[in-house]
């Protein structure tokens, strides 16, 4: 179809109508201002006055600017005083008209300047601005209405009305109105489904096609699918409009990629904005049985396809179907569908931005709520800690005053009687001295407990690992507490289930005695007379297990969370019937964790409690070769420890939650510049590193070269890795990789496999 022909309108009008048309050209010139040029026959007469003397029957109005040009030519018919007019929008036709003017005027210099400028406009802006064209066409239609022409036919029967041209003009106006409707919806609404549904319905009605759909790509990028020839579906039909119910629906239909792979780089052509018109699918796709069969099943005889490209990525396709017959697609229909696709791309982009803003807003609000809750919890914790410290100081004043009063009082009594020259009986003196000694030991025990806890809090306690006998240590602890148990009429028992050949164990024997001492003394303290306290000892693989069971008063379920907190006692100060600083179990828990062990408690009120401690066998060789300055940090780290180097807070938070829920200990590092030193200090089993970290390969190579970190496994996070990439990465110290977005089950599988392999290699080294 010739574009120039669709840009020319020929009519016969009255002189009044011609004057109104000239006024329209004047209005458009004033609308564009200084950028526009308006030429009439009057301008031609001013250039060459001799032309005015001739009977110049052809009149014209020529308007052109960078965004809009239009030419009106009117030839007066003397027999009926009507004008035969031509309205032209085609820039090349207008340029030819200017050339003719320059020849007739005899002044080529002035007109040629206009011709040159028009040529520049043709290169820079080959077509009119759609908004200006729409405005002009609507004004033109108001002047050339059928009613006016109908009256003109009655007055001048010889006037010939060009019905096809009138229909073409009306179609153009309808098209521009529909475009304006879509643009208006995009500007006024951010509801993407409403925009797309309305657009599909209106465009189908305008094009008079049987079915119009939007096919949206939802998996990998089209280019990547084309390279990989993926068997997965590219996408699906998300919106549809049908002319009638007899046309089958293809909503939610997915098409297999194999049907399209024979078309070379078809998605790249769409991404560049190509509009494809297929008049007969049987002929166009005759070489692809798969595609022809797919279209035949869906009753597609002809189709017109326009891309929807968002941010230079192919988002989807706008597809018009003729279902029962072939169809020739006009150039105006191609342009129209392409314009609709461009405007829908704008709407989609706006909706995506709006969704991102809403997501950020919701995330921000959630974070504000979380931070507010954290501040509230911190305030409550601070208030609770302040109250606990006050209670602790009150308890300590009582705990210290009682033995001090005894020491001062009894020693003063001995002094008093020695000054008077009359001595107390030897038995009495021994009783007083024994009470002074017991009170002194009690004071020393309280002070040591406070000092030990302070040192543990400050991280100044190191383990002095030695080899010792579990049976001998257990017996020694019970022996030290036997007198106290006997005085309170408590049955103290030992149940040692360790075979002699497995009796040797590596740990800090002094700290282990301290752990058992606190647990047993606590059990004796809260067990009534004639009760029983049992210490059980056995080994499980590489762990030593210690259980302290009593038949005491028990602990209620709501008090269990406070059991190992510092400065906590489960009785109020006024109701206290037992002494203590409230630090014993908190100190015990920290000593257990210093050995990388665990402590658990089960209790029933009125029946008793059961404390279970599990300690791993410490590697004597490893501690021997590890600098003392690093033991302090490493002893608190379990073998299932992981270091994560990730800058994205959301990704890091997700991974930390997943790994922590799977009982891994995770340390998150943001700054990669100090990562090597931190990992060398923590010595984890696994390091997870994001590929986007600038010095990721330097970190992996360095860790594999250092003697203390070469056994650490390295897991790489990446958006995409090919087989060629993996060959290069494996040579850079990477043990495995995981693709983003993170899939929880894959993350846990990869981490478990790497940690298990690391533990197996360590066990093999110990056996050697």
């Amino acid at each position: 179809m010739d574009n120039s022909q669709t840009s020319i309108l020929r009519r016969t009008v009255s002189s009044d109508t011609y004057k109104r048309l000239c006024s329209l050209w004047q209005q458009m010139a004033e609308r564009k201002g200084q950028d526009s040029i308006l030429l009439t026959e009057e301008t031609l007469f001013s250039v060459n006055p001799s032309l005015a003397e001739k009977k110049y029957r052809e009149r014209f109005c020529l308007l052109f600017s960078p965004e809009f040009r239009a030419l009106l030519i009117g030839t007066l018919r003397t027999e009926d005083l009507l004008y035969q007019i031509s309205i032209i929008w085609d820039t090349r036709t207008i340029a030819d008209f200017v050339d003719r003017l320059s020849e007739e005027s005899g002044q080529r210099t002035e007109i040629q300047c206009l011709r040159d400028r028009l040529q520049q406009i043709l290169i820079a802006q080959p077509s009119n601005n759609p908004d200006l064209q729409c405005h002009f066409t609507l004004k033109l239609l108001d002047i050339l209405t059928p009613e006016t022409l109908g009256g003109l036919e009655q007055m001048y029967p010889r006037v010939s009305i060009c019905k096809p041209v009138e229909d073409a003009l009306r179609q153009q106006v309808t098209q521009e109105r529909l475009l304006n409707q879509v643009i208006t919806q995009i500007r006024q609404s951010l509801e993407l489904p409403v925009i797309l549904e309305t657009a599909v319905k209106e465009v189908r009605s305008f094009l008079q096609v049987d079915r119009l759909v939007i096919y949206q790509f939802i998996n990998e990028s089209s280019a990547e699918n084309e390279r990989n020839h993926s068997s997965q579906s590219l996408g699906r039909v998300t919106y549809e409009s049908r002319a009638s119910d007899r046309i089958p629906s293809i909503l939610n239909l997915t098409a297999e990629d194999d049907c399209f792979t024979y078309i070379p780089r078809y998605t790249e052509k769409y991404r560049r904005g190509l509009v494809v018109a297929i008049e007969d699918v049987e002929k166009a796709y005759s070489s692809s049985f798969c595609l022809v069969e797919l279209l035949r099943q869906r009753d597609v005889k002809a189709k017109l396809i326009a891309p929807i490209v968002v941010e230079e990525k192919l988002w989807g396709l706008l597809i018009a179907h003729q279902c029962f017959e072939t169809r020739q697609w006009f150039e105006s229909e191609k342009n129209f569908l392409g314009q609709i696709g461009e405007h829908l791309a704008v709407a989609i982009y706006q909706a995506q931005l709006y969704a991102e803003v809403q997501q950020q807003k919701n995330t921000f609000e959630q974070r504000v709520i979380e931070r507010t809750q954290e501040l509230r919890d911190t305030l409550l914790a601070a208030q609770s800690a302040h109250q606990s410290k006050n209670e602790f100081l009150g308890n300590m004043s009582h705990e210290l005053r009682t033995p001090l009063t005894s020491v001062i009082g009894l020693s003063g009594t001995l002094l008093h009687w020695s000054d008077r020259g009359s001595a107390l009986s030897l038995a009495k003196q021994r009783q007083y001295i024994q009470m002074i000694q017991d009170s002194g030991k009690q004071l020393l025990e309280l002070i040591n407990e406070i000092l030990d806890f302070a040192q543990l809090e400050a991280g100044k306690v190191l383990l002095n690992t030695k080899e010792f006998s579990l049976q001998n240590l257990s017996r020694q602890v019970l022996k030290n507490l036997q007198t106290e148990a006997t005085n309170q009429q408590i049955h103290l028992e030992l149940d040692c289930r360790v075979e002699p050949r497995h009796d040797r164990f590596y740990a800090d024997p002094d700290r282990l005695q301290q752990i058992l001492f606190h647990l047993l003394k606590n059990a004796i303290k809260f067990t009534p007379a004639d009760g029983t306290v049992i210490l059980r000892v056995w080994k499980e693989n590489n762990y030593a297990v210690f259980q302290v069971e009593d038949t005491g008063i028990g602990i209620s379920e709501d008090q269990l969370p406070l059991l190992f907190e510092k400065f906590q006692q489960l009785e109020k100060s006024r109701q206290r019937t037992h002494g203590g600083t409230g630090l014993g179990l908190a100190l015990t828990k920290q000593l257990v964790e210093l050995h990388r062990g665990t402590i658990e408690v089960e209790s029933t009120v009125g029946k008793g409690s059961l404390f279970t401690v599990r300690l791993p066998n410490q590697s004597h060789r490893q501690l021997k070769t590890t600098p003392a300055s690093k033991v302090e940090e490493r002893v608190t780290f379990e073998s299932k420890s992981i270091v994560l180097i990730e800058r994205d807070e959301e990704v890091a938070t997700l991974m930390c939650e997943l790994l922590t829920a799977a009982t891994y200990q995770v340390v998150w590092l943001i700054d990669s510049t100090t990562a090597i030193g931190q990992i060398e200090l923590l010595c984890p089993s696994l390091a997870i590193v994001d590929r986007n970290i600038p010095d990721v390969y330097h970190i992996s190579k360095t860790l594999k070269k250092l003697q203390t970190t070469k056994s650490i496994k390295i897991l790489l996070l990446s958006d995409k890795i090919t087989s060629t990439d993996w060959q290069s990465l494996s040579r850079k110290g990477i043990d495995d990789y995981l693709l983003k977005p993170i899939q929880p089950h894959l993350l846990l599988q990869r981490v478990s496999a790497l940690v298990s392999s690391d533990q197996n290699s360590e066990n093999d080294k110990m056996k050697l």
Side-chain angles (χ1 to χ4, degrees), residues 318-329:
L318 190 61
I319 309 175
H321 286 162
Q322 204 67 32
C323 293
F324 304 113
E325 59 185 0
T326 60
R327 174 168 172 171
Q328 180 184 4
W329 303 101

PDB file of all heavy atoms in Angstrom, residues 318-329:
ATOM      1  N   LEU A 318       2.059  -8.571  21.191  1.00  0.00           N
ATOM      2  CA  LEU A 318       0.658  -8.233  20.954  1.00  0.00           C
ATOM      3  C   LEU A 318       0.280  -8.876  19.619  1.00  0.00           C
ATOM      4  O   LEU A 318       0.816  -8.501  18.570  1.00  0.00           O
ATOM      5  CB  LEU A 318       0.498  -6.712  20.907  1.00  0.00           C
ATOM      6  CG  LEU A 318      -0.903  -6.138  20.900  1.00  0.00           C
ATOM      7  CD1 LEU A 318      -1.659  -6.523  22.163  1.00  0.00           C
ATOM      8  CD2 LEU A 318      -0.849  -4.625  20.773  1.00  0.00           C
ATOM      9  N   ILE A 319      -0.617  -9.874  19.637  1.00  0.00           N
ATOM     10  CA  ILE A 319      -0.863 -10.714  18.456  1.00  0.00           C
ATOM     11  C   ILE A 319      -2.339 -10.642  18.069  1.00  0.00           C
ATOM     12  O   ILE A 319      -3.228 -10.914  18.886  1.00  0.00           O
ATOM     13  CB  ILE A 319      -0.476 -12.182  18.727  1.00  0.00           C
ATOM     14  CG1 ILE A 319       0.952 -12.259  19.301  1.00  0.00           C
ATOM     15  CG2 ILE A 319      -0.590 -13.004  17.461  1.00  0.00           C
ATOM     16  CD1 ILE A 319       1.362 -13.650  19.715  1.00  0.00           C
ATOM     17  N   ALA A 320      -2.586 -10.277  16.790  1.00  0.00           N
ATOM     18  CA  ALA A 320      -3.938 -10.274  16.230  1.00  0.00           C
ATOM     19  C   ALA A 320      -4.104 -11.513  15.355  1.00  0.00           C
ATOM     20  O   ALA A 320      -3.242 -11.808  14.524  1.00  0.00           O
ATOM     21  CB  ALA A 320      -4.170  -9.008  15.420  1.00  0.00           C
ATOM     22  N   HIS A 321      -5.232 -12.231  15.527  1.00  0.00           N
ATOM     23  CA  HIS A 321      -5.489 -13.475  14.792  1.00  0.00           C
ATOM     24  C   HIS A 321      -6.709 -13.321  13.883  1.00  0.00           C
ATOM     25  O   HIS A 321      -7.767 -12.824  14.325  1.00  0.00           O
ATOM     26  CB  HIS A 321      -5.746 -14.631  15.756  1.00  0.00           C
ATOM     27  CG  HIS A 321      -4.520 -15.118  16.436  1.00  0.00           C
ATOM     28  ND1 HIS A 321      -4.562 -15.882  17.596  1.00  0.00           N
ATOM     29  CD2 HIS A 321      -3.206 -14.953  16.149  1.00  0.00           C
ATOM     30  CE1 HIS A 321      -3.330 -16.173  17.974  1.00  0.00           C
ATOM     31  NE2 HIS A 321      -2.501 -15.611  17.116  1.00  0.00           N
ATOM     32  N   GLN A 322      -6.576 -13.746  12.645  1.00  0.00           N
ATOM     33  CA  GLN A 322      -7.720 -13.953  11.758  1.00  0.00           C
ATOM     34  C   GLN A 322      -7.908 -15.471  11.700  1.00  0.00           C
ATOM     35  O   GLN A 322      -7.022 -16.195  11.234  1.00  0.00           O
ATOM     36  CB  GLN A 322      -7.437 -13.374  10.380  1.00  0.00           C
ATOM     37  CG  GLN A 322      -8.674 -13.024   9.594  1.00  0.00           C
ATOM     38  CD  GLN A 322      -9.441 -11.858  10.215  1.00  0.00           C
ATOM     39  OE1 GLN A 322      -8.842 -10.981  10.813  1.00  0.00           O
ATOM     40  NE2 GLN A 322     -10.761 -11.872  10.100  1.00  0.00           N
ATOM     41  N   CYS A 323      -9.045 -15.958  12.170  1.00  0.00           N
ATOM     42  CA  CYS A 323      -9.173 -17.388  12.448  1.00  0.00           C
ATOM     43  C   CYS A 323      -9.734 -18.215  11.294  1.00  0.00           C
ATOM     44  O   CYS A 323      -9.437 -19.410  11.193  1.00  0.00           O
ATOM     45  CB  CYS A 323     -10.052 -17.603  13.683  1.00  0.00           C
ATOM     46  SG  CYS A 323      -9.287 -16.993  15.206  1.00  0.00           S
ATOM     47  N   PHE A 324     -10.529 -17.621  10.395  1.00  0.00           N
ATOM     48  CA  PHE A 324     -11.243 -18.451   9.432  1.00  0.00           C
ATOM     49  C   PHE A 324     -10.888 -18.144   7.979  1.00  0.00           C
ATOM     50  O   PHE A 324     -11.394 -18.793   7.068  1.00  0.00           O
ATOM     51  CB  PHE A 324     -12.751 -18.298   9.634  1.00  0.00           C
ATOM     52  CG  PHE A 324     -13.176 -18.610  11.039  1.00  0.00           C
ATOM     53  CD1 PHE A 324     -13.676 -17.621  11.868  1.00  0.00           C
ATOM     54  CD2 PHE A 324     -13.045 -19.899  11.544  1.00  0.00           C
ATOM     55  CE1 PHE A 324     -14.051 -17.910  13.159  1.00  0.00           C
ATOM     56  CE2 PHE A 324     -13.428 -20.185  12.841  1.00  0.00           C
ATOM     57  CZ  PHE A 324     -13.924 -19.193  13.657  1.00  0.00           C
ATOM     58  N   GLU A 325     -10.045 -17.149   7.760  1.00  0.00           N
ATOM     59  CA  GLU A 325      -9.629 -16.824   6.403  1.00  0.00           C
ATOM     60  C   GLU A 325      -8.323 -16.058   6.442  1.00  0.00           C
ATOM     61  O   GLU A 325      -7.962 -15.471   7.465  1.00  0.00           O
ATOM     62  CB  GLU A 325     -10.701 -15.987   5.706  1.00  0.00           C
ATOM     63  CG  GLU A 325     -11.005 -14.664   6.428  1.00  0.00           C
ATOM     64  CD  GLU A 325     -12.150 -13.912   5.794  1.00  0.00           C
ATOM     65  OE1 GLU A 325     -12.703 -14.417   4.812  1.00  0.00           O
ATOM     66  OE2 GLU A 325     -12.482 -12.814   6.279  1.00  0.00           O
ATOM     67  N   THR A 326      -7.619 -16.099   5.315  1.00  0.00           N
ATOM     68  CA  THR A 326      -6.382 -15.318   5.223  1.00  0.00           C
ATOM     69  C   THR A 326      -6.733 -13.835   5.134  1.00  0.00           C
ATOM     70  O   THR A 326      -7.886 -13.467   4.853  1.00  0.00           O
ATOM     71  CB  THR A 326      -5.569 -15.735   3.993  1.00  0.00           C
ATOM     72  OG1 THR A 326      -6.357 -15.506   2.830  1.00  0.00           O
ATOM     73  CG2 THR A 326      -5.172 -17.206   4.085  1.00  0.00           C
ATOM     74  N   ARG A 327      -5.742 -12.990   5.372  1.00  0.00           N
ATOM     75  CA  ARG A 327      -6.014 -11.550   5.388  1.00  0.00           C
ATOM     76  C   ARG A 327      -4.779 -10.772   4.964  1.00  0.00           C
ATOM     77  O   ARG A 327      -3.665 -11.093   5.375  1.00  0.00           O
ATOM     78  CB  ARG A 327      -6.447 -11.104   6.784  1.00  0.00           C
ATOM     79  CG  ARG A 327      -6.605  -9.593   6.944  1.00  0.00           C
ATOM     80  CD  ARG A 327      -7.298  -9.247   8.215  1.00  0.00           C
ATOM     81  NE  ARG A 327      -7.309  -7.815   8.480  1.00  0.00           N
ATOM     82  CZ  ARG A 327      -8.004  -7.220   9.446  1.00  0.00           C
ATOM     83  NH1 ARG A 327      -8.741  -7.971  10.258  1.00  0.00           N
ATOM     84  NH2 ARG A 327      -7.963  -5.917   9.622  1.00  0.00           N
ATOM     85  N   GLN A 328      -5.014  -9.747   4.139  1.00  0.00           N
ATOM     86  CA  GLN A 328      -3.933  -8.834   3.769  1.00  0.00           C
ATOM     87  C   GLN A 328      -3.893  -7.702   4.783  1.00  0.00           C
ATOM     88  O   GLN A 328      -4.883  -7.018   5.019  1.00  0.00           O
ATOM     89  CB  GLN A 328      -4.171  -8.274   2.361  1.00  0.00           C
ATOM     90  CG  GLN A 328      -3.085  -7.308   1.908  1.00  0.00           C
ATOM     91  CD  GLN A 328      -3.379  -6.698   0.555  1.00  0.00           C
ATOM     92  OE1 GLN A 328      -4.440  -6.944  -0.016  1.00  0.00           O
ATOM     93  NE2 GLN A 328      -2.458  -5.908   0.039  1.00  0.00           N
ATOM     94  N   TRP A 329      -2.736  -7.519   5.387  1.00  0.00           N
ATOM     95  CA  TRP A 329      -2.584  -6.497   6.435  1.00  0.00           C
ATOM     96  C   TRP A 329      -2.057  -5.209   5.805  1.00  0.00           C
ATOM     97  O   TRP A 329      -1.039  -5.216   5.121  1.00  0.00           O
ATOM     98  CB  TRP A 329      -1.620  -6.964   7.523  1.00  0.00           C
ATOM     99  CG  TRP A 329      -2.024  -8.249   8.165  1.00  0.00           C
ATOM    100  CD1 TRP A 329      -1.528  -9.489   7.921  1.00  0.00           C
ATOM    101  CD2 TRP A 329      -3.024  -8.410   9.168  1.00  0.00           C
ATOM    102  NE1 TRP A 329      -2.145 -10.432   8.702  1.00  0.00           N
ATOM    103  CE2 TRP A 329      -3.078  -9.800   9.492  1.00  0.00           C
ATOM    104  CE3 TRP A 329      -3.889  -7.554   9.832  1.00  0.00           C
ATOM    105  CZ2 TRP A 329      -3.945 -10.318  10.427  1.00  0.00           C
ATOM    106  CZ3 TRP A 329      -4.758  -8.069  10.783  1.00  0.00           C
ATOM    107  CH2 TRP A 329      -4.792  -9.431  11.075  1.00  0.00           C
TER     108      TRP A 329
END
